[in-house]
Amino acid sequence: MTDQLEHIADVPVFVLGADGPTLATENDALDLIVAAGHHGADAKWAAVPASRLCSDFFTLSTGFAGMIAQKFTSYGVGLAILGDVSGYASKPFQDWVRETNKGRHVWFARDKQHLAELLRG
């Protein structure tokens, strides 16, 4: 699947395909935010497969995940990480996953169906 705009639970979501470059820098995050805004309906969320994130994202001490989350929040675009992240079993990371899923800006969803449930609230 290629990167494309989808409507999930009636919300425009820019969904990245499983194949493609890794999100590894601040500029990559900004490029994704811009891409999400250039699809007619102005996507309210970007959904990124966990496999497209660099390993630094899953190590909270690097600060990369927080920086990425802050960029999306600042630009008013939600960030959904799709896929099983249980393999990243550090306690701080799993705690962060639980906390972000309580909010409205960054979510970890098993798949698009789970994301739809989160979007419906």
Side-chain angles (χ1 to χ4, degrees), residues 73-86:
T73 301
S74 294
Y75 284 92
V77 177
L79 174 63
I81 308 304
L82 299 178
D84 181 10
V85 295
S86 63

Side-chain angles (χ1 to χ4, degrees), residues 49-92:
S51 62
R52 297 263 316 253
L53 295 167
C54 71
S55 61
D56 280 353
F57 185 88
F58 301 100
T59 305
L60 291 184
S61 62
T62 67
F64 186 68
M67 183 270 302
I68 295 295
Q70 185 60 46
K71 287 287 178 216
F72 277 85
T73 301
S74 294
Y75 284 92
V77 177
L79 174 63
I81 308 304
L82 299 178
D84 181 10
V85 295
S86 63
Y88 303 97
S90 77
K91 182 172 178 359

Side-chain angles (χ1 to χ4, degrees), residues 10-21:
D10 295 324
V11 176
V13 179
F14 186 66
V15 180
L16 292 187
D19 297 324

Side-chain angles (χ1 to χ4, degrees), residues 18-35:
D19 297 324
T22 301
L23 183 67
T25 68
E26 181 176 351
N27 283 337
D28 294 340
L30 292 171
D31 289 347
L32 177 53
I33 291 165
V34 169

